[in-house]
Every structure is written in structure tokens, then in C-alpha cells.
Amino acid sequence: MATTTTTVPSAGPVAGSRSFLSRLREGDEIARLITFLFAASVVLVTLLLVFELWQGSVLPRHKFGFNFFRTSVWDPIFEQFGALPFIYGTLVTAAVSLLIAVPLGIGAAIFLAELAPAKLSDTLEFFIDLLAAVPSVIYGLLGVFIVVPLMREYIQPGLKHSLGFLPLFQGPAYGVGFLTAGIVLAIMVIPYIISVSREVLLSVPRDQREAALSLGATRWESTWKVVVPFARTGIFGSIFLALARALGETMAVTMVIGNTPAISASLFSPGYSIAAVIANEFTEATGDLYLQSLIELGLVLFLLTFILNGLARLLILATSQRGSEMSNV
Amino acid sequence: MSNRLRWRKFVSNFMLTMTGVCAVVAVSVLFFILGYLVFHGGTSVSWNFFTKLPAPVGETGGGMANAILGSAKLLLLASLIGVPIGFFGAIYLAEFSGSTTAFIVRYAADLLNGVPSIVIGIFAYSLVVLPFKHFSTLAGGFALGLMMIPITLRSTEEFLRSVPNALREAAMALGASKWKTIASVIVPAAYRGILTAVLLAFARVAGETAPLLFTAFGNRFWSPGWNQPTASLPVMIFTYAIAPYDDWHRQAWAAGLVLLGLILVINIVARAILSRGIAVPRS
Amino acid sequence: MKRITGMLLVVLALAGVMWADNALSINGAGATFPYPIYSKWFDEYHKKNANLQINYQSIGSGGGIKQLTEGTVDFGASDAIMNEDQLKAFQDKHGFGILHFPTVLGAVVPTYNIPDVSAELNFTQDALAGIFLGKITKWNDPAIADANKGVNLPANDIVVVHRAEASGTSYIWTDYLSKISEEWKSKVGKGAAVNWPVGLGGKGSEGVAGLIKQTPNSFGYVELIYAIQNKMPYGRVKNSSGAFIKADLASVTAAASGAAKNMPDDFRVSITDAPGTTAYPVSSFTWLLVPAKFSDATKRDAIKGFVKWMLADGQNYTEALSYARLPKEVVAKELTALNKIQ
């Protein structure tokens, strides 16, 4: 057959081979410029956001320094602002939510990845993704009218009765508090754990399972002792993702946490989280120090979620790469 | 069969059943939420709800007509901001950019995506509300639009990248310029995925409350134009839910049902579009 | 492409439609204390003036003062009189001052939700201070029980509820507590947002009422109408003459009678723990905060028109919502003060 050599121009503009004007006339340069502007605006707006947070918190940073994170007094009248109760509340509710969501989530992910036939797995995953789409305020609505009364009437008294010797479960049963917020958060973050863990479990190469089974392991043993450890880093990634979501949650938490800046060993105690205090007090913070202290709290939250999200992404990436590397061996 | 083997088999069956239980629990939460909202909200979703303005405090018979329109305006504005930036930015990333610029832009988008929504509210307050000296639909739409950008950007980029190179090369060989290739070949090929991305981003911000608290603020009346505060469904749900009036509670349930219904329908439609398959078979 | 341009045109057309609206929109924000009557007033006033919408958001008195100072709302509302620092901050920022206009008289009542107890409880000054300081923790504490012989108070823990955000209602309550308790005055002080020794935080009077309604053994303070509208029991408070007084129109008006005759020109006055045998001790005026100067003449006239209406016809709506009317002397004084707005 006749061979014709044609040089196909490469994907990007080839430097120097066509004049700028001709490229301009062709419209490519304009297209490149316009799309570049849009892409650049993303970077600009993000930088601006970080800058505003930093600038907007200059007063408390200078006045309190690192003591901001060590004091627990939040007194707008005497202008004393300490972030400790809010950091404590944010961390405690997130921890409680993970304690509940992680076992449930990983268990469900194992079922979906290992046991369920593909169609069932996909259908259930579809519903789980829908759960992730439910807005926070609706969880708050359900929290106020279902979870809080349930906690107050049955769960908290029950826990006090059986485990009341632990300082965790002491104190009056208000219904609102750390434990309630943790439970509502758990429901909110389970979908993230399930969908990401399911994906990393599915990416574990088949030969790992088959090798374990051929050595005489039961289904469970092959799953728990071989597949899950293989996907361990990815699963941790999903947990970090869930944690980042739990830390930034505002509406559902502020409706069920009790809105009291308190540090207490008891999970029944009402508390406060960073996002909740900003939501409640931002529009009325008179005085620059007050307002900027709230902004500094926002900055802290931003940094926390930023670090966690970054770690999560690295871990998940590492697992999928590992899986694909091993499959190619 | 030895005892030890019997025990291991038992553990295996038991644990695997437990995982099934976990999955059932997780999925049933969704149905419980839906069911409860339908049960409580269904009876309150009345003609009044969709057509009347809120009544004075303590009186019954009010509705959320202004909140529904307010949410629609906010989402429209958010889409006008979020979709073009995400779409064109993604085109830049997929077709034009070098790898360092791409890395920076993607990193910024991921950063933006991870910002807690209340912090976005703070940002929009300082940037739009204070200079204009107005709480406004504009500020609320801006905050929501910011949240839409990363989702549209990353998903659109992925779908653009998934269009096979053969198409690009074929268009080039026919003499089409770069932008013509993008406009007439690549984007149409990826349009299903892009539409899905936009719909999912839309559904995500439709339910956001926190960023609206100090941007769109609230309004008992219709909000004229774009520079005035406006009511919105999520904020009304929040305000009514924590109040003591039973009538307000009923309205909060109704609003919750409407909002969740809308979001779920968008999600289902988006996924249905996507599962119909990519327009062109992968090479 | 054609589809997209088509959609864009539709969008712009809609935008145009939504923009073309000749209703003048005035925004205000602030106290939840008078929210029931303000929402009624603004609704009625809108019915009489279809081209004027006064949009009021009850975010708390602190919020009203703050947003007014920032300039994001046209007027504010507060039950906490602006202090010197706040007035100065506004003056420095805008170059002119703020005028306080009393609108109604209201009462802050102690409301509670005790299982099986629907009686009106009597609260002494020590009881109220003690509960909010966290020193009295059970309902059957002698400090409470002694004033309520014949009522079977349970030995349950009191769940204290207060406002989570900066609130004029909190200001009135803490102002009263500071007057009757030295310990409260030195430990906590009076203010819209204080460092509460105990209790859960509810958002807005609505949030506090909601929390109390749903939480057994709870105790908090709300404006009178919130307790009435939600059929919550509220107690009597011991006044400066030693009598246990229930909050109602007569007792609140009695509390204001002294102040009415000696009203300062700027209307900033506190009437908590007022003298008088029938006075309800936790009464207060609530104020509209109006800037002394408006750059927009239509807005200025609209607000002045509303205040005039409020001082005349508006006062007829007060009693139905359990607020007391402004004394005649105060109304007359306010009408003259209206001329100060430029």
C-alpha cells in the first residue's frame, strides 16, 4: 500500500513554527488565554481566601499568640478568648463519630466488595451515594426531633444505668451533647468510608484472595487477614476523609450539641464545636477582637481539614497504585 | 472435620453475616430518613406552602414561597459562577496546560473543595457583603458558586481526558484548529459526563445552609433583584426547626421533604445519564 | 451551541424580570424579644404600603448593633441599650450617631418545664441568682421550695437554658441579676453575651423556648409572649417591695411609670427592679436603633413614616401580643425626637 508521510501537529501549539498572529487568527491562542484565565481564577480565589483568613485574624494572633489554643475562657465582655473548648468539642464529636462509623463502614464495605454479587453491590452503593448527598440541615432536623429525644429518654439513661461508673457516661441526660452530636455525625460520614473503602478493596488484585483461599483460609480469614491489610492505607485514607468531613460540619452539630463552651469528661455534657460557634456568633460579634477571634477559629478549622484531606488523598493514591503495581507483576 | 476447623468456619460465617448487617443498617438509614420526611412532611406540603409568604410569628397559614424562589435564584447565580469557571478551567487543564500549572490549579481546587462551608461564608461576607454594605442574593450565590467550582472542575477534567486521543488526532488531521476540535469534537463526546458533573455539583450546594447564614441572610418577603437579602429553603428549615412553634415545625418538615426530594432526583438523574455510557467507545 | 445561547437568553430574561421590582426594600436586624410584634407590624404596614417592604431578621440584639455599625442593614433593634463604646464605634465609623426609639414594653419571664408541675412558681431573688450561678442545682432546693409551699417539687437536677448568642433578653436578665445579686455582678456581670456559669445555649428566644419545651426539668428566661404562645408555665418574681408579681400588662406598665416621667432625651433607660408595689421587676423597653442621618431620602422618609405609624396605630397591636403600650409621655417625646433624623 502507498505510504504517505504526514506530520500530524502535536496537541499543543508548536513554538516558533507558526507566527503568533496566525495562531491568534486561528483562535487557538485566544482559547488558551481564556481558559487559562478561568483556571487561574481558581488559584487566585483560593489564595485570596487564605489571605483573608490570615489577615482577618491578626489581632488575636498578636494578642494571645499560642495561648489562644490553651485557654478555655470565652468571655466577650472581658475580651478573653480561648479556643480550647471549641477544639475539644470538635475533636471529641469527631472521635465519637469515627468510633461508630468506622466499624460499621468497613464492615459494610467488606460486604459490598467481597460478598455481594456485582449487581447487588452496585445497587447498594447507589443508595449509599444518595445518603452522602443528604444535606446537613436535614440531618440536623432529624437530629433535633428524633435523636435528641431518643437519647434523652432511652439511650442516655440506659448507658448511665449500665456503664455509669465510667466518667464518660455521667451527668444529667439533656438529650443534646457530645454523644448526640457524635452519633449524628457518624451517620453523616459512614457513606464516605463505605464508598472509598469499597473501591480500594475492589482494587486489591484477585490473586491475593485466591492465594489465601488456596492455602486453606476461610472466606473471612482471607478477607480479614489478607485483603484488608493490603488495602489498609486506602482504608485509612477513607477514614481521614470522613474525619475531615466531620470536623467541618456545621448545621447538624449546632442543632444537637448544646452550644455551651464546656470541657467535660462526660459525653452527656453539652459542648461546642468550632463551626457551631462561628455560625452562632459571627453576625453579632461586636468589637474587632471578638470577630477576629472567630475568624482565627475558622483559620484553625481550615488548616485541620487541609492537612487531613491531603493525607487522605496520599493514602488512597498509594493503595490504588500498589494494587495496580502488584497486578502487573 | 476437626473442632478447630468447625470453629473457624463458624467465625467466618458469623463475621461475614455481620458485614451484611452493617451494609443493611447503612442503607436502611437512607430509607428511614426518606420515610420519616415523607411521613411528617408529606401532610404539610400544601398549596399554602408553595404559594404563601411567611406569616407573622405565632400565626399559622404561612408558607415558604419566597424561600423556594430565593433558593432558585441563589442556585442560578451559583451555577453562573461555578459552571463556567469549572468548565473552562477544566478545558485548560485537559487540553492546554503544562504539568506544573496543572498541578497548581488542581491543588488549589482541592484546597477549595476541602474548605468547611462556614469558612466560605466568612470569606463571602468579607468580600461581598461588607463592600456592598448589603446582605444579598449576590453574596449567597457567590459563596455557593465557590463551592461548585472544584467539583465541576475536577470531574469535567476527568471526562475530557477520558475522550480517546484518536478523536483529537483525527480532527487535527482534517485541519481543525485546537479550539474547534475542543468545541465540536471533544466536548460533545464528553458531554454526558460534564452534565453529570454539573448536576452533582448543583445538588451538593442546593442543600448548603452555613454559607448562607451571613450572606443571603433572610427575608420575610419576596427579595427584589439581586442586591437584597433573600430567604432560602435550607436556612428556613434551620430557623423553623429550632423554634418552639408547632406550625413552624410542620413547615420545616415539608421544606425538608421538598429539598431532599429535589436533591435526590437530581442525583438519580445524573447517575442515570452517566450510566447510559460514554458516547464514544474507548479505544 | 445554539441550545446554550438559547438557555442563556432565557436566563437573562428571567434575571431582568426579577430585577424589575419597584418595591422599596428596607432591611433591619436585631432583637428576638419584640420579634412577634415587629413581624406583625411590618406585615400590617406592608399591607397598607404595598411598595414598601421592611424585612426584619431576628438574630439577637448584639447582631442588630453589629450589622447596623457595619452598615449592612438600614436599622437595628435591641433590648440592650448601646453602651458608650458601641455608640462611639458607630460615630467614628459613620460620622453621625444612632438614635434610640422605644417601641414597646415587655417582660422577661422565668419559664420552666417540670414534669407534673404546672403551677405558677414563686421565685425569690436569691433563688434566681443561685440557679443561674449554678449554686442551686435541684428543683426541691429550700431556696425554691420555701417560696412554693404546697407544690410538690421533684428532686431532679435543674437544666438551665440561656441564650447562645448576644441577646438583649440576656442583657435585661443579667442587668436584673446584677442589681439583685452582688455575687452575680462581680462574677459574671451584665451584658448581651456573658460567660454563663451553667446551662445550655439556645439560639434566639425561639431556640430557648424550643429547648425548654423539649427538655424536662429545664429552666430559662424568655420574653413573655414566647411563654404564652407556647403554653409554657412561667413564674412570679419577687419585686423590690417584696411582693411576688406575675408579668402582665398592668405590672409591666407599673414598672415603666417612674421612667416615663423622667425619660432622658436619648431614651436610654433601664427599668429592671423598678420601685413600686405592683411593678414587675424584669421589665424593659425595647428600642429601634435608627441612624441619625440617611443618605437615601426615600429610605429616611419610609422609616420615619413607619415610626410615626408605630407610635399611633401600631400601639393598638401590642396588647394582643402581651406587650404593654408606651406611656403617653414617651410617645410625645419620641415624635419630637423624630425630627432629629436627617
Side-chain angles (χ1 to χ4, degrees), chain C:
Chain C
M1 262 302 133
K2 278 211 183 101
R3 250 183 311 161
I4 299 181
T5 19
M7 283 196 293
L8 234 95
L9 284 172
V10 172
V11 162
L12 287 170
L14 272 170
V17 165
M18 289 181 196
W19 211 303
D21 192 340
N22 38 19
L24 174 64
S25 206
I26 295 186
N27 295 306
T32 59
F33 181 92
Y35 189 35
I37 190 158
Y38 284 8
S39 64
K40 183 80 186 157
W41 275 346
F42 296 132
D43 205 61
E44 291 294 321
Y45 200 66
H46 176 63
K47 288 191 193 144
K48 294 184 165 54
N49 300 282
N51 272 343
L52 177 63
Q53 283 178 3
I54 306 183
N55 169 32
Y56 180 79
Q57 295 294 311
S58 73
I59 56 175
S61 302
I65 296 176
K66 165 79 182 178
Q67 295 309 320
L68 186 61
T69 315
E70 289 298 326
T72 51
V73 293
D74 302 306
F75 69 91
S78 170
D79 342 299
I81 339 171
M82 286 177 74
N83 59 29
E84 295 304 327
D85 290 331
Q86 291 164 334
L87 286 171
K88 187 170 185 308
F90 185 88
Q91 178 90 30
D92 290 341
K93 194 163 179 146
H94 296 262
F96 47 86
I98 290 191
L99 301 167
H100 288 67
F101 285 96
T103 52
V104 288
L105 280 163
V108 181
V109 298
T111 179
Y112 43 87
N113 174 1
I114 314 175
D116 305 323
V117 174
S118 55
E120 271 169 26
L121 297 178
N122 295 325
F123 292 101
T124 60
Q125 295 160 342
D126 290 334
L128 288 177
I131 295 175
F132 275 89
L133 279 168
K135 287 164 52 176
I136 299 180
T137 53
K138 292 204 187 284
W139 276 113
N140 62 350
D141 190 291
I144 310 174
D146 286 345
N148 293 291
K149 299 215 162 44
V151 181
N152 198 3
L153 289 167
N156 299 334
D157 293 322
I158 306 178
V159 179
V160 177
V161 182
H162 55 75
R163 291 284 289 277
E165 77 283 15
S167 143
T169 319
S170 291
Y171 180 85
I172 300 170
W173 190 252
T174 53
D175 178 43
Y176 172 70
L177 287 178
S178 298
K179 283 187 183 166
I180 56 149
S181 164
E182 266 309 313
E183 197 183 345
W184 180 272
K185 191 171 178 189
S186 50
K187 255 197 185 161
V188 187
K190 76 169 187 238
V194 300
N195 195 6
W196 298 93
V198 288
L200 303 175
K203 189 158 173 58
S205 294
E206 307 91 345
V208 169
L211 211 49
I212 295 181
K213 223 175 160 185
Q214 290 161 8
T215 314
N217 300 306
S218 54
F219 181 67
Y221 58 90
V222 288
E223 209 285 329
L224 177 59
I225 188 62
Y226 288 98
I228 294 181
Q229 275 177 344
N230 293 290
K231 304 192 180 42
M232 294 158 64
Y234 54 98
R236 287 183 273 247
V237 181
K238 200 175 197 180
N239 71 1
S240 52
S241 309
F244 286 103
I245 304 288
K246 186 171 175 179
D248 58 31
L249 297 173
S251 55
V252 170
T253 317
S257 57
K261 296 184 175 49
N262 301 317
M263 181 65 78
D265 284 339
D266 63 356
F267 300 105
R268 293 162 64 219
V269 66
S270 155
I271 57 173
T272 50
D273 207 32
T277 42
T278 54
Y280 180 70
V282 202
S283 311
S284 177
F285 284 103
T286 181
W287 294 264
L288 277 181
L289 301 170
V290 183
K293 208 189 254 188
F294 278 88
S295 51
D296 183 339
T298 26
K299 276 193 183 170
R300 177 199 62 207
D301 294 334
I303 292 188
K304 281 170 96 161
F306 172 75
V307 176
K308 279 207 189 93
W309 176 87
M310 179 272 290
L311 290 170
D313 288 340
Q315 294 292 307
N316 294 330
Y317 292 96
T318 51
E319 272 132 25
L321 288 170
S322 301
Y323 294 95
R325 291 169 169 265
L326 293 172
K328 282 196 289 288
E329 305 92 332
V330 177
V331 170
K333 212 166 177 159
E334 285 188 57
L335 284 168
T336 354
L338 262 181
N339 299 325
K340 285 197 210 156
I341 307 178
Q342 290 159 8

Side-chain angles (χ1 to χ4, degrees), chain B residues 74-143:
Chain B
L74 284 167
L75 289 171
L76 182 66
L77 199 53
S79 309
L80 283 176
I81 297 176
V83 173
I85 296 185
F87 180 68
F88 289 113
I91 292 182
Y92 179 77
L93 285 180
E95 306 294 324
F96 289 114
S97 80
S99 57
T100 15
T101 342
F103 178 73
I104 296 177
V105 175
R106 278 193 213 112
Y107 192 72
D110 280 344
L111 204 68
L112 196 58
N113 197 28
V115 177
S117 55
I118 190 86
V119 177
I120 300 248
I122 296 180
F123 181 54
Y125 177 78
S126 340
L127 214 64
V128 185
V129 175
L130 284 183
F132 280 85
K133 296 230 175 285
H134 253 135
F135 291 106
S136 58
T137 315
L138 203 67
F142 174 72

Side-chain angles (χ1 to χ4, degrees), chain A residues 13-52:
Chain A
V14 182
S17 65
R18 280 148 49 230
S19 76
F20 179 74
L21 271 169
S22 81
R23 270 184 288 146
L24 196 64
R25 245 178 284 135
E26 292 247 338
D28 275 355
E29 203 58 34
I30 299 184
R32 180 176 230 264
L33 219 63
I34 293 180
T35 52
F36 173 71
L37 283 173
F38 278 101
S41 69
V42 179
V43 181
L44 281 172
V45 92
T46 315
L47 284 175
L48 190 63
L49 188 141
V50 181
F51 175 72
E52 284 275 353

Side-chain angles (χ1 to χ4, degrees), chain A residues 208-244:
Chain A
Q208 296 290 314
R209 290 182 193 84
E210 286 168 4
L213 290 172
S214 69
L215 287 172
T218 60
R219 260 330 257 292
W220 172 250
E221 282 162 358
S222 121
T223 309
W224 189 245
K225 298 201 168 136
V226 176
V227 178
V228 170
F230 193 92
R232 184 175 45 208
T233 30
I235 295 182
F236 276 128
S238 80
I239 297 179
F240 281 8
L241 217 65
L243 183 59

